[in-house]
């Protein structure tokens, strides 16, 4: 897990960019400022070009902010990618897991990665 800022100069076999929605990427503070929007676009490009073998760009239909469920709009940057370069896959979460189960799974993954 790494931020787009920290990914500069690095490459990975598989890259997953989650949260490709308006308000996150581009960030809502950048949406009305052309210079800031261009910086967000550049950061998106940085993330995309880190992938050597596969790239997954993910967005979702709703998000919860401060306990309120809100609609999410796919990032405008997704529309800028030529359609013939994309393969769309729709997935729906089939099961919600508890925070404890998620924490245990992440702990196990970290142990596997760093042991």
């Amino acid at each position: 897990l790494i931020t787009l800022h920290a990914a500069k100069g690095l490459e990975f076999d598989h890259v997953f960019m989650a949260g490709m929605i308006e308000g996150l990427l581009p960030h809502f503070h950048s949406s009305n400022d052309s210079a800031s929007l261009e910086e967000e676009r550049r950061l998106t490009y940085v993330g995309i070009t880190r992938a050597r073998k596969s790239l997954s760009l993910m967005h979702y239909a709703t998000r919860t902010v401060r306990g309120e469920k809100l609609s999410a709009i796919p990032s405008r940057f997704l529309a800028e990618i030529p359609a013939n370069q994309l393969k769309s896959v729709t997935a729906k979460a089939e099961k919600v897991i508890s925070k404890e189960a998620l924490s245990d799974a992440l702990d196990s993954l970290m142990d596997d990665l760093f042991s």
Side-chain angles (χ1 to χ4, degrees):
L1 186 60
I2 191 169
T3 67
L4 291 172
H5 292 283
K8 295 176 193 170
L10 303 174
E11 287 187 329
F12 305 93
D13 285 344
H14 309 283
V15 171
F16 299 85
M17 292 176 61
M20 296 287 299
I21 62 166
E22 288 294 313
L24 291 181
L25 197 59
H27 192 270
F28 72 94
H29 289 301
S30 303
S31 294
N32 295 322
D33 176 50
S34 61
S36 295
L37 187 61
E38 201 52 42
E39 174 66 10
E40 297 279 308
R41 184 177 282 107
R42 189 188 67 72
L43 281 171
T44 301
Y45 179 81
V46 165
I48 289 170
T49 58
R50 302 304 91 196
R52 286 189 286 237
K53 293 181 180 178
S54 72
L55 170 68
S56 295
L57 303 170
M58 297 169 280
H59 65 87
Y60 34 86
T62 59
R63 66 187 282 218
T64 303
V65 178
R66 295 182 195 97
E68 185 179 352
K69 198 170 199 172
L70 304 173
S71 294
I73 300 167
S75 172
R76 68 187 79 185
F77 298 150
L78 293 172
E80 296 173 3
I81 301 171
N84 65 349
Q85 298 294 311
L86 296 174
K87 174 183 166 188
S88 179
V89 176
T90 301
K92 184 175 181 178
E94 294 182 17
K95 179 172 131 180
V96 175
I97 63 171
S98 69
K99 287 183 182 179
E100 293 79 17
L102 178 59
S103 179
D104 290 346
L106 290 173
D107 287 345
S108 177
L109 176 61
M110 294 302 284
D111 288 344
D112 290 345
L113 288 173
F114 298 106
S115 61

